[in-house]
Amino acid sequence: AGKLAVLKGYEFAGDYDPARRYAGPVYFVPNDTLTGSELAQQVGIRDHHDLFGGVVPYAFAATKTITHPLVSRNAFAPEGWSHEFARSVRHVVLFGFSAFTPDDLRRAAARVLERGRARVKPARGIGGRGQTVITSTADLDALLDATDLTELARYGAVIEQNFDQIETYSVGQTYVADLLATYCGTQLLTEDNQGTSVYGGSDLIVVRGDYDDLLSLDLPPEAQQAINNARTYEAAAITSFPGWLASRRNYDVAQVVGDDGRRSCGVLEQSWRIGGASAAEIAALEAFRAEPSLRSVRAACIELYGEKQAPPDAVVHFSGVDDRVGPLTKYSQVKAYDNSR
């Protein structure tokens, strides 16, 4: 938030205090996607110039569950559910369903398990945490025994076909002040302090400008497909959810190989809030602000668990003991990008 204040030409004011009278315009950095335009309007958020993040009309729209269709037309649908969104993105996501009741989740599991193992994802899980691979409906029943049904009814859960061979791309845009940066890169995996494989950072190619500027680079076909899938997904969200707005847009896009050897590509989820790749995004914006002629950079943000040290040329954002995950170091780096291959 302090770095964003510098980019905006604002004073960093710390945590927002609704009782305080601020002398000038206020720029917000919420830790989650805001739900409902009423809250946004109350604090003065009118468009993407007023926050780093996004606003959606319904709570489920900020989670993984908007990515997939319901298992049938008579499945439970929360207020604001868009069947049209699911139809619009069906060719750019992996095979799977979203569900908001145990019965619907069981029906969806039966459909997905016909293709092999299935992966169950909590709607609000971050960095791969809380996901479970199942091989039978009995596995799902055991999982449901420990599920918060109130959470399930409000946000839902996702069940997708599971893939062992998977490479995850990060695709997105960040718009701050007069700077628009668009990027594509790959996500890194690491082991956390419990030995679980989790998100370990992102290595991004970032351009000054929009998606067309990014696609003008000499990118591999897999990256180009990930970018186009993300664009389709975003366009559908804008059309399907009135009141949607976002200055920070990130999409996890999976390139997968099935048991039959066939490759496919699908958006896993969106992030319309500050997220894991934001340190790299902001570092790229700082580089573009410092050098107006700079068109592209390579920016990375890395998460190290345990007592590991960041490289000497890194900008360290956190190094210590996190209350939730234990010893952790987070840092970012920006380097020149060579577009010649």
Side-chain angles (χ1 to χ4, degrees), residues 270-292:
Q270 38 64 23
S271 175
W272 299 318
R273 55 169 175 75
I274 193 168
S278 293
E281 299 161 20
I282 293 169
L285 291 175
E286 291 176 325
F288 292 148
R289 174 59 57 82
E291 180 50 67

Side-chain angles (χ1 to χ4, degrees), residues 46-96:
R46 299 170 300 278
D47 57 31
H48 60 272
H49 290 296
D50 297 323
L51 87 165
F52 187 80
V55 180
V56 294
Y58 305 99
F60 73 85
T63 75
K64 296 176 178 63
T65 49
I66 71 165
T67 300
H68 293 293
L70 304 179
V71 69
S72 66
R73 294 292 295 190
N74 64 354
F76 175 81
E79 180 187 2
W81 183 262
S82 174
H83 294 287
E84 180 57 37
F85 178 83
R87 283 192 291 269
S88 298
V89 303
R90 66 186 183 277
H91 297 305
V92 298
V93 302
L94 303 181
F95 179 71

Side-chain angles (χ1 to χ4, degrees), residues 48 99 172 204 235 264 268 315:
H48 60 272
L204 309 176
S264 56
L268 298 174
V315 175

Side-chain angles (χ1 to χ4, degrees), residues 71 95-99 102-120 134-141 144 158-161:
V71 69
F95 179 71
F97 299 96
S98 293
D103 285 345
D104 289 341
L105 195 56
R106 289 187 185 96
R107 288 195 290 162
R111 294 275 301 277
V112 178
L113 287 168
E114 291 174 355
R115 302 192 178 198
R117 293 182 300 163
R119 180 177 292 268
V120 182
I134 64 171
T135 60
S136 66
T137 53
D139 290 342
L140 178 63
D141 287 337
L144 284 170
V158 164
I159 185 161
E160 286 176 341
Q161 184 178 1

Side-chain angles (χ1 to χ4, degrees), residues 235-308:
I238 294 171
T239 301
S240 303
F241 296 102
W244 179 96
L245 71 90
S247 64
R248 194 270 174 172
R249 311 168 182 187
N250 177 274
Y251 305 93
D252 292 350
V253 187
Q255 294 278 355
V256 300
V257 180
D259 294 338
D260 58 1
R262 292 200 302 176
R263 301 184 65 89
S264 56
C265 176
V267 179
L268 298 174
E269 62 179 301
Q270 38 64 23
S271 175
W272 299 318
R273 55 169 175 75
I274 193 168
S278 293
E281 299 161 20
I282 293 169
L285 291 175
E286 291 176 325
F288 292 148
R289 174 59 57 82
E291 180 50 67
S293 64
L294 189 63
R295 306 307 305 172
S296 60
V297 296
R298 191 163 210 127
C301 54
I302 306 296
E303 301 187 7
L304 299 175
Y305 290 85
E307 304 300 332
K308 300 172 185 176

Side-chain angles (χ1 to χ4, degrees), residues 175-216:
Y175 199 170
V176 178
D178 58 341
L179 296 168
L180 173 62
T182 307
Y183 60 84
C184 179
T186 52
Q187 290 188 10
L188 312 173
L189 292 176
T190 190
E191 287 191 355
D192 66 9
N193 293 305
Q194 285 71 47
T196 303
S197 181
V198 296
Y199 173 79
S202 298
D203 183 12
L204 309 176
I205 298 167
V206 191
V207 300
R208 185 194 300 266
D210 61 18
Y211 287 114
D212 289 334
D213 295 297
L214 181 60
L215 287 167
S216 71

